[in-house]
Amino acid sequence: MDEMEEERKGPVCGSFYREPLILPCSHNLCQACARNILVQTPEAESPQSRRASGVSDYDYLDLDKMSLYSEADSGYGSYGGFASAPTTPCQKSPNGVRVFPPAAPPPPHLPPAALAPVPRNACLTCPQCHRSLILDERGLRGFPKNRVLEGVIDRYQQSKAAALRCQLCEKAPKEATVMCEQCDVFYCEPCRLRCHPPRGPLAKHRLVPPAQGRVSRRLSPRKISTCTDHELENHSMYCVQCKVPVCYQCLEEGKHSSHEVKALGAMWKLHKSQLSQALNGLSDRAKEAKEFLVQLRNMVQQIQENSVEFEACLVAQCDALIDALNRRKAQLLSRVNKEHEHKLKVVRDQISHCTVKLRQTTGLMEYCLEVIKENDPSGFLQISDALIRRVHLTEDQWGKGTLTPRMTTDFDLNLDSAPLLQSIHQLDFVQMKASSPVPAPPILQLEECCTHNNSATLSWKQPPLSTVQVEGYILELDDGNGGQFREVYVGKETMCTVDGLHFNSTYSARVKAFNKTGVSQYSKTLVLQTSEGCNFETQSAPYSQLVDIKKLVAVAWFSFDPGSAHSDILFSNDNLTVTCNSYDDRVVLGKTGFSKGLHYWELSIDRYDNHPDPAFGVARVDVLKDVMLGKDDKAWAMYVDNNRSWFMHNNSHTNRTEGGITKGATVGVLLDLTRRTLTFSINEDQQGPVAFENMEGLFFPAVSLNRNVQVTLHTGLPVPEFYTSRASMQ
């Protein structure tokens, strides 16, 4: 009963229905509430006056209230025509439905009885569906009363009412236990035994529970239903067309005379059966709804449990990331400490070395000053030549680079944390969608794939009929010796150029696509051959018998790389000519790196002013760009002025050699990675011995210069004569 709360309360008053009326729209309304919300319609706005004046009903309709005055259109013609809703502002009842304001209160001098008559042309609007109705001459009596709803409310009130008391107790009435329907009296158990014994004529009386007796007492006056049109006639038949109970007089002379009618009792049983059948289906839906609610409540509990478990998992994953970051932090700090100790050791060693040399130089100077003070010419001349040679030799020992720090104070360690920070910012939950399949394997476009020197360019595309969304591609290459594949590119582009490969090597390439669902299969494997460098294999036969060096030409053509150069470097001549806008030395690298073979290139001196010291050689890709080439351990170089040259690596100067450069001179660099040597030449003559040995890894051509020098790069040259002749003599 408690679940019928909304069905038992009126939409206007918000209380239990009192004398509920059935409106034509099938909604219910208390009789008192209906009287309160009546609105008097002006004579000119009545349906009859509007039809007489030829005004269309559509000019007065509100929302969907069209053709409401037509009995055939509205379906409610037996209760009069519908009118448009009043234009006064609407209000909300306690139940939340829209209601129109009641008519103005009566003057205080009028008695309450003056409210009884319904004004002519009164309009009633349903508070729930907002359809308006013009009442006829019967007024509210034209609406049937909902006796069934009234009985339901009475039973509910009786079940909630306080205990009924005995009517025969003299002092404190006790709670009644029965009611006699014939006597119409409530009895407690002692009074029933004393005043209403179950014998004699009283034995035939019917005793019922107090609550049932109270309901029977309230319903007994309304057992017989009378016709709304003929108040003295009882309902005896049911009009099938109008779907309302009717009396005998309605059939004889009323508007139901030509309608199909059936017995009231038969239709009562039929409609009860139909309602019961409809309730069976609704009951099934209600049962499913209850089971669904149980499922939802279980889901609430499961969600809470899963949330706790997922939070714990998330915390564990984040803690693992933090632990990994802390471990990496410790490793990086260890490298910084090693670099710190290394720098201190180099500087301290240079301090110790310079201190010893300075002490020796100072001692020699003091000794020479004392010798100069001597007045014995013959004795002085005996030792002067030796002292002069010692002074010059000591001066040479303090040559160029000796008073230059071997180590910079800056740490050559640059922590690249940007990718990790980006990954942290992109760290998110991935929801796998089963409806989105993995991409199809990409197709390599062979006509666009090629190699140049030691670079390879690959191009690919998705299959023409593939409609699966692709988020990116992964390109993999092996090591050039048939080893394992490694990732060289991950991104959205469909073309990639890979630099820094080995010359004269065969590489295998493949690509795959990926999206949120997963990774596709690999494409077909493509085999690529890089250019042939001068590659010599060490064998037992003489070097000259292995290959004719004079016929060998390095096929690596390259230029300077603006992308990796210092910002002060100036480029021209298709990046083959470089100079600088700074007085300090700046480094520029070539575009191609070498790890195998024999390679030779030259640099012509286009401009040489004020005797600077340009440096030529090779370097790693991460060499310092703002100091002379060879100052750090990432470069191997020869620096040269107008008179002499030195070899330098890791700020160590060796092999001073006479002979310098001027404008128009040519400096050659020969990198033999088969023999792992680096050799220099000036004007096609070898400059000094083999400069560096044990050269292993990937090397890029490199130059350092300032604004007083301009050089032009020449590549793809034959091996110089001095190297071929030396090889033939071995």
Side-chain angles (χ1 to χ4, degrees):
M1 295 288 284
D2 292 337
E3 297 175 355
M4 299 190 304
E5 191 73 17
E6 297 299 325
E7 298 289 337
R8 295 191 299 265
K9 291 185 177 181
V12 176
C13 60
S15 303
F16 289 122
Y17 282 104
R18 293 185 179 182
E19 298 180 340
L21 303 177
I22 303 177
L23 301 182
C25 55
S26 301
H27 294 127
N28 298 290
L29 188 62
C30 300
Q31 185 172 357
C33 296
R35 185 176 295 276
N36 288 337
I37 65 174
L38 282 176
V39 177
Q40 186 172 3
T41 304
E43 186 68 25
E45 296 184 5
S46 66
Q48 295 79 5
S49 62
R50 282 203 299 272
R51 291 194 184 98
S53 61
V55 179
S56 172
D57 291 340
Y58 295 102
D59 297 334
Y60 297 91
L61 299 180
D62 178 29
L63 299 177
D64 60 340
K65 307 183 184 75
M66 295 183 177
S67 301
L68 299 180
Y69 298 106
S70 169
E71 181 174 326
D73 291 342
S74 68
Y76 306 125
S78 60
Y79 298 99
F82 287 92
S84 61
T87 57
T88 52
C90 60
Q91 301 172 348
K92 282 191 176 181
S93 71
N95 275 4
V97 300
R98 192 177 70 173
V99 297
F100 293 99
H109 63 277
L110 293 179
L115 295 176
V118 174
R120 187 179 179 184
N121 294 330
C123 174
L124 177 65
T125 301
C126 175
Q128 292 178 282
C129 65
H130 312 303
R131 290 186 177 273
S132 299
L133 175 68
I134 299 296
L135 274 63
D136 56 17
E137 63 277 1
R138 294 174 297 172
L140 296 179
R141 292 184 295 102
F143 301 114
K145 294 183 179 180
N146 194 339
R147 294 182 295 107
V148 175
L149 177 58
E150 193 173 7
V152 171
I153 294 174
D154 285 339
R155 287 196 297 273
Y156 175 76
Q157 290 177 333
Q158 291 300 325
S159 65
K160 296 297 183 181
L164 297 173
R165 300 296 175 179
C166 178
Q167 294 178 295
L168 298 181
C169 292
E170 295 181 356
K171 294 183 179 179
K174 298 180 180 180
E175 183 178 349
T177 57
V178 295
M179 174 197 173
C180 178
E181 289 187 340
Q182 285 71 26
C183 301
D184 195 18
V185 176
F186 291 94
Y187 298 95
C188 64
E189 190 62 22
C191 292
R192 184 189 66 80
L193 295 175
R194 184 177 68 254
C195 303
H196 200 288
R199 58 181 181 272
L202 298 178
K204 297 180 179 181
H205 288 194
R206 184 169 179 265
L207 301 178
V208 296
Q212 181 180 348
R214 188 174 207 177
V215 172
S216 300
R217 176 187 289 182
R218 293 177 60 89
L219 293 180
S220 57
R222 296 193 299 271
K223 278 188 176 181
I224 300 176
S225 173
T226 60
C227 180
T228 55
D229 293 332
H230 311 93
E231 296 182 356
L232 299 179
E233 298 292 337
N234 296 331
H235 288 145
S236 58
M237 302 297 289
Y238 180 81
C239 179
V240 178
Q241 183 174 346
C242 299
K243 297 182 180 181
V244 292
V246 295
C247 66
Y248 177 81
Q249 192 171 353
C250 291
L251 299 179
E252 291 294 332
E253 57 188 32
K255 59 183 177 181
H256 303 281
S257 58
S258 60
H259 295 174
E260 179 185 0
V261 294
K262 290 187 178 181
L264 190 65
M267 293 303 296
W268 173 54
K269 293 181 180 180
L270 177 61
H271 281 211
K272 274 196 171 183
S273 175
Q274 293 177 351
L275 181 60
S276 298
Q277 292 177 1
L279 284 176
N280 289 336
L282 186 60
S283 176
D284 294 340
R285 301 287 84 78
K287 183 178 179 181
E288 293 176 0
K290 290 181 180 179
E291 294 175 353
F292 181 65
L293 285 174
V294 173
Q295 179 184 354
L296 291 179
R297 293 188 181 98
N298 293 337
M299 286 180 63
V300 171
Q301 182 178 358
Q302 189 66 33
I303 289 173
Q304 293 176 346
E305 295 176 357
N306 291 344
S307 175
V308 173
E309 181 180 355
F310 188 78
E311 287 179 3
C313 180
L314 178 61
V315 170
Q317 289 177 316
C318 292
D319 290 343
L321 293 176
I322 295 173
D323 292 341
L325 185 60
N326 287 331
R327 290 194 298 270
R328 189 58 179 167
K329 173 185 174 182
Q331 295 173 358
L332 294 176
L333 287 176
S334 176
R335 288 182 57 185
V336 172
N337 292 333
K338 289 181 180 178
E339 183 73 10
H340 168 248
E341 296 297 332
H342 173 68
K343 286 180 176 291
L344 289 180
K345 181 178 182 302
V346 171
V347 173
R348 286 168 179 168
D349 290 346
Q350 191 173 14
I351 291 173
S352 176
H353 178 70
C354 289
T355 301
V356 172
K357 290 185 64 175
L358 180 60
R359 185 169 58 249
Q360 293 174 350
T361 301
T362 305
L364 178 61
M365 291 173 59
E366 293 178 353
Y367 175 68
C368 290
L369 291 175
E370 293 298 327
V371 169
I372 291 175
K373 295 178 182 179
E374 290 293 330
N375 296 322
D376 183 5
S378 60
F380 177 82
L381 292 175
Q382 287 178 342
I383 62 174
S384 60
D385 289 337
L387 286 179
I388 292 173
R389 287 195 300 271
R390 286 184 60 187
V391 168
H392 284 301
L393 180 62
T394 304
E395 181 185 0
D396 289 340
Q397 290 179 350
W398 291 103
K400 190 174 297 184
T402 306
L403 299 179
T404 303
R406 297 178 182 176
M407 185 62 63
T408 62
T409 58
D410 297 331
F411 280 79
D412 301 331
L413 301 173
N414 185 16
L415 183 61
D416 186 11
S417 60
L420 180 58
L421 289 175
Q422 183 178 3
S423 299
I424 292 175
H425 293 153
Q426 294 176 349
L427 188 63
D428 202 351
F429 302 107
V430 178
Q431 296 182 353
M432 304 300 293
K433 296 183 179 179
S435 59
S436 178
V438 297
I443 299 176
L444 287 168
Q445 302 189 83
L446 301 181
E447 64 277 5
E448 297 184 13
C449 297
C450 62
T451 60
H452 178 72
N453 290 337
N454 62 338
S455 299
T457 299
L458 296 105
S459 177
W460 59 89
K461 64 180 180 179
Q462 278 296 104
L465 300 180
S466 177
T467 58
V468 180
Q469 183 179 4
V470 176
E471 295 187 1
Y473 301 92
I474 301 174
L475 176 63
E476 296 183 358
L477 263 71
D478 65 359
D479 59 358
N481 291 319
Q484 293 184 348
F485 283 88
R486 66 188 189 279
E487 293 183 1
V488 296
Y489 171 76
V490 178
K492 296 182 179 181
E493 301 298 329
T494 57
M495 179 176 288
C496 177
T497 298
V498 184
D499 297 321
L501 302 178
H502 298 308
F503 279 90
N504 195 23
S505 300
T506 301
Y507 287 89
S508 296
R510 62 187 184 182
V511 65
K512 57 184 177 180
F514 65 89
N515 59 13
K516 289 184 178 179
T517 303
V519 182
S520 73
Q521 298 293 325
Y522 285 104
S523 66
K524 293 183 179 180
T525 301
L526 177 65
V527 178
L528 299 167
Q529 176 71 39
T530 55
S531 301
E532 293 183 0
C534 300
N535 188 13
F536 306 117
E537 300 293 338
T538 303
Q539 299 183 10
S540 58
Y543 191 84
S544 60
Q545 298 177 9
L546 295 177
V547 65
D548 187 358
I549 298 178
K550 294 182 179 180
K551 297 180 181 178
L552 287 177
V553 177
V555 296
W557 298 81
F558 59 91
S559 60
F560 289 115
D561 183 16
S564 62
H566 193 279
S567 58
D568 292 339
I569 297 292
L570 303 178
F571 295 84
S572 60
N573 189 22
D574 293 331
N575 298 332
L576 292 174
T577 301
V578 293
T579 185
C580 182
N581 60 8
S582 172
Y583 285 104
D584 297 322
D585 290 313
R586 299 292 186 249
V587 174
V588 58
L589 301 180
K591 276 190 175 182
T592 302
F594 305 108
S595 59
K596 286 184 178 181
L598 175 64
H599 307 279
Y600 177 71
W601 61 94
E602 292 180 349
L603 299 112
S604 59
I605 311 301
D606 302 332
R607 180 166 50 82
Y608 186 78
D609 303 326
N610 302 323
H611 310 298
D613 302 319
F616 310 89
V618 295
R620 308 290 190 192
V621 69
D622 55 346
V623 65
L624 292 177
K625 306 296 194 310
D626 56 354
V627 295
M628 179 184 287
L629 194 68
K631 286 284 187 179
D632 61 359
D633 60 349
K634 303 294 193 305
W636 295 257
M638 176 187 73
Y639 70 92
V640 57
D641 58 16
N642 60 326
N643 292 320
R644 61 187 70 84
S645 65
W646 290 264
F647 302 146
M648 183 166 62
H649 169 66
N650 199 18
N651 205 28
S652 175
H653 309 259
T654 59
N655 298 98
R656 172 181 170 180
T657 304
E658 295 297 325
I661 60 174
T662 59
K663 180 180 178 180
T666 300
V667 177
V669 182
L670 195 150
L671 178 63
D672 188 349
L673 291 174
T674 302
R675 291 189 166 188
R676 299 186 298 174
T677 60
L678 179 64
T679 308
F680 297 96
S681 65
I682 296 180
N683 297 328
E684 298 185 358
D685 293 328
Q686 182 172 342
Q687 183 74 357
V690 174
F692 301 99
E693 297 179 340
N694 300 321
M695 304 289 290
E696 291 184 352
L698 181 64
F699 301 94
F700 289 84
V703 175
S704 70
L705 69 166
N706 61 16
R707 65 182 305 165
N708 294 314
V709 182
Q710 177 177 305
V711 300
T712 297
L713 176 65
H714 306 276
T715 61
L717 302 177
V719 177
E721 185 70 25
F722 74 84
Y723 197 73
T724 58
S725 60
R726 188 184 70 180
S728 62
M729 291 186 297
Q730 294 181 350

